[in-house]
Amino acid sequence: MGASLPGKQSGRGRRRGRRAAMSDINVTPFVDVMLVLLIVFMVAAPLLTAGIPVNLPKGAAQALKSEEDPLWVTVTADGRISFKDKKVFDNEMFALAELAPRLAIVAEQTPDRKVLVRGDREATYASIVDVLSEARRAGLSEAKLVIESDGRGAR
């Protein structure tokens, strides 16, 4: 006389092989996939930002506070130069002779842009000074050296 529940069937009106349509969505596999993707991207993100390995000298200095994105110039131990500027060039290696026109383009676009020079510990002092002087000559007046903090802080 009464109604039957979806999971239970009465003995009289049984139909074989036919089930009621499932109306709820199982989100557990979706959540599992999203968590795996989150972990993959969390592991991969620091690897994508890794640049050219440079053995920076240690020194007692405080971190710079900057609101804008600086221009990173890296001098490797063998004297090659890397230019990290997403607005103008890709990160590639080149010689000092090619640095002046690249810095001139950046100086035209943003003359008050900060230039941070990462010089390898094994690089010659002359090659790092050449990069700093090219930045000044191009019109970028705020060029600074980057060091690795030794934990003592500024005195």
Side-chain angles (χ1 to χ4, degrees):
M1 192 120 140
S4 64
L5 296 173
K8 299 189 179 202
Q9 297 177 354
S10 63
R12 230 172 43 179
R14 248 186 243 188
R15 293 184 187 156
R16 288 198 174 161
R18 191 159 176 203
R19 291 191 216 167
M22 191 170 154
S23 63
D24 56 351
I25 298 172
N26 190 2
V27 278
T28 304
F30 176 72
V31 171
D32 290 345
V33 169
M34 289 299 116
L35 287 174
V36 168
L37 287 175
L38 176 69
I39 291 169
V40 166
F41 286 121
M42 286 174 56
V43 169
L47 300 175
L48 296 175
T49 59
I52 298 162
V54 176
N55 186 12
L56 293 174
K58 294 189 185 295
Q62 293 177 344
L64 294 174
K65 294 172 183 72
S66 176
E67 299 84 34
E68 65 181 49
D69 187 29
L71 172 67
W72 290 91
V73 180
T74 304
V75 181
T76 60
D78 58 356
R80 293 187 306 161
I81 298 166
S82 170
F83 201 77
K84 180 67 174 175
D85 185 17
K86 294 178 185 172
K87 298 177 185 167
V88 183
F89 303 104
D90 291 332
N91 193 11
E92 58 184 39
M93 302 296 287
F94 53 89
L96 181 65
E98 300 173 45
L99 182 64
R102 294 170 189 245
L103 289 174
I105 291 172
V106 172
E108 282 179 16
Q109 293 177 353
T110 52
D112 58 340
R113 185 113 181 248
K114 291 180 182 172
V115 179
L116 297 180
V117 180
R118 297 173 58 218
D120 193 285
R121 182 186 306 256
E122 304 298 320
T124 62
Y125 182 72
S127 62
I128 296 171
V129 170
D130 288 342
V131 169
L132 289 171
S133 64
E134 285 294 329
R136 297 274 176 150
R137 196 172 303 137
L140 298 165
S141 60
E142 204 168 338
K144 299 181 179 186
L145 289 175
V146 177
I147 61 169
E148 188 175 314
S149 177
D150 62 0
R152 291 185 296 184
R155 292 179 211 185

